[in-house]
């Protein structure tokens, strides 16, 4: 799963078909409890595949992978794996502009697994927290910024329970923690036209080298959004360059990175923006 955390999509694309085929063969050969465990692993691999497909704009195939993953998880009686899959389905709904459905879906899934924080496992808390982040994102897209903040306040309670050992999480998409919650907060404050609040959240949300590169890169893209809004053009270019260096394959799949680069290109006539051309070339924005 480190391929997802590092946004090494090329490696995932080359390795996943063989790994999935092997998992399917193992599931067919197994019976009883061994088959249940293999099916859970297969569901998690399909979940990882759906994330890859979603990032490369193959949403229909991503949805099919999630449906198959959910069926396997349901047959295996693994409610946490199902909840994680539902989080990714909420993300797909949002990518397709179905924000009301996305928010309702994520909120319902989070309610179904709401943990007792004093006794819940880190995995349970991380899946719940990520569902709340998706609900917050979708709510902010509908203009319900207050509701989004309420979800994110719950996220603050959840992230305090985690040790940020991302590499041991079986869910390829789950990067929930302080950095991700704050990053969704940046998105909400920008949508609410509160760029100063967004910058406060962005500045204080970098968890350091332990945070997966894909999450650090996304945080920086959101930070650059606030900087562009504030006419901090040179700083925004520097931030985007950092995002490129952290997750080179990831940033080109983020529409916001393209939009920000295009906007900065229109400002080059008024200000010298060293490094912007290299960002544009990296992500495929025409100069």
């Amino acid at each position: 799963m480190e391929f997802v955390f590092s946004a090494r999509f090329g490696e995932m694309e080359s390795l996943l078909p063989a790994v999935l085929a092997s998992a399917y063969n193992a599931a067919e050969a197994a019976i009883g409890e061994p088959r249940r465990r293999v099916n859970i692993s297969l569901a998690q691999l399909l979940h990882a595949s759906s994330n890859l497909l979603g990032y490369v704009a193959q949403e229909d195939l991503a949805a099919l992978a999630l449906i198959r993953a959910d069926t396997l998880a349901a047959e295996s009686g693994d409610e946490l794996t199902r909840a994680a899959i539902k989080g990714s389905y909420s993300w797909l709904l949002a990518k397709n502009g179905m924000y009301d459905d996305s928010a309702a879906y994520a909120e319902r899934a989070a309610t179904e697994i709401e943990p007792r924080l004093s006794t819940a496992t880190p995995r349970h808390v991380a899946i719940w927290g990520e569902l709340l982040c998706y609900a917050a994102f979708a709510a902010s897209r509908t203009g319900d910024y207050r509701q989004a903040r309420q979800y994110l306040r719950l996220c603050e309670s959840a992230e305090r329970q985690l040790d940020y050992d991302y590499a041991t999480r079986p869910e390829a998409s789950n990067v929930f923690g302080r950095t991700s919650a704050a990053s969704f907060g940046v998105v909400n404050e920008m949508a609410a036209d509160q760029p100063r609040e967004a910058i406060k959240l962005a500045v204080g949300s970098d968890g350091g080298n332990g945070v997966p590169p894909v999450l650090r890169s996304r945080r920086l893209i959101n930070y650059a959004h606030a900087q562009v809004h504030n006419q901090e053009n040179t700083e925004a270019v520097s931030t985007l360059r950092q995002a490129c260096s952290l997750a080179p394959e990831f940033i080109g799949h983020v529409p916001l990175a393209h939009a920000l680069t295009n906007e900065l290109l229109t400002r080059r006539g008024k200000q010298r923006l060293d490094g912007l051309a290299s960002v544009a070339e990296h992500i495929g924005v025409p100069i």
Side-chain angles (χ1 to χ4, degrees), residues 5 166 175 179-180 183 211-220:
F5 291 142
Y166 297 93
V175 291
T179 300
S180 63
S183 190
V211 177
V214 65
L215 178 53
R216 298 183 70 198
S217 181
R218 182 70 224 209
R219 181 195 76 86
L220 288 168

Side-chain angles (χ1 to χ4, degrees), residues 62-81:
L64 287 174
L66 286 179
I67 290 170
R68 180 57 178 151
D70 183 60
T71 299
L72 287 166
E75 291 174 353
S76 303
D78 190 330
E79 290 305 311
L80 284 183
T81 294

Side-chain angles (χ1 to χ4, degrees), residues 68-247:
R68 180 57 178 151
D70 183 60
T71 299
L72 287 166
E75 291 174 353
S76 303
D78 190 330
E79 290 305 311
L80 284 183
T81 294
R82 290 195 73 193
I85 291 165
K86 289 175 181 178
S88 289
Y89 193 72
S90 173
W91 175 65
L92 280 181
L93 289 171
K95 278 178 67 70
N96 285 302
M98 302 171 67
Y99 299 120
D100 287 322
D101 290 339
S102 174
Y105 194 82
E107 180 182 21
R108 184 166 59 251
T111 300
E112 289 172 354
I113 65 157
E114 184 171 0
R116 185 184 296 274
L117 293 178
S118 60
T119 57
T121 64
R123 180 186 178 220
H124 191 163
V125 174
I127 293 171
W128 182 64
E130 182 156 88
L131 284 164
L132 292 171
C133 282
Y134 289 136
F137 174 74
S140 72
R141 285 293 183 260
T142 66
D144 195 348
Y145 312 122
R146 179 178 296 180
Q147 182 62 57
R149 293 184 186 111
Q150 289 177 0
Y151 289 136
L152 291 168
R153 279 195 289 272
L154 288 173
C155 288
E156 291 176 5
S157 300
E159 58 91 2
R160 295 191 191 103
Q161 309 297 315
L162 299 176
D163 57 9
Y164 306 110
D165 186 7
Y166 297 93
T168 63
R169 297 182 186 182
E171 279 72 40
S173 68
N174 194 300
V175 291
F176 175 73
R178 178 170 63 88
T179 300
S180 63
S183 190
F184 279 102
V186 172
V187 171
N188 186 54
E189 296 306 327
M190 287 301 300
D193 197 25
Q194 298 292 328
R196 290 188 178 182
E197 293 302 315
I199 285 179
K200 288 179 185 177
L201 286 169
V203 169
S205 65
D206 187 5
N209 292 330
V211 177
V214 65
L215 178 53
R216 298 183 70 198
S217 181
R218 182 70 224 209
R219 181 195 76 86
L220 288 168
I221 295 167
N222 293 340
Y223 187 12
H225 187 194
Q227 291 172 322
V228 168
H229 187 282
N230 281 354
Q231 302 293 319
E232 299 173 12
N233 302 324
T234 303
E235 293 83 354
V237 172
S238 177
T239 301
L240 288 173
R241 292 182 70 186
Q242 291 179 60
C244 286
S245 66
L246 280 169

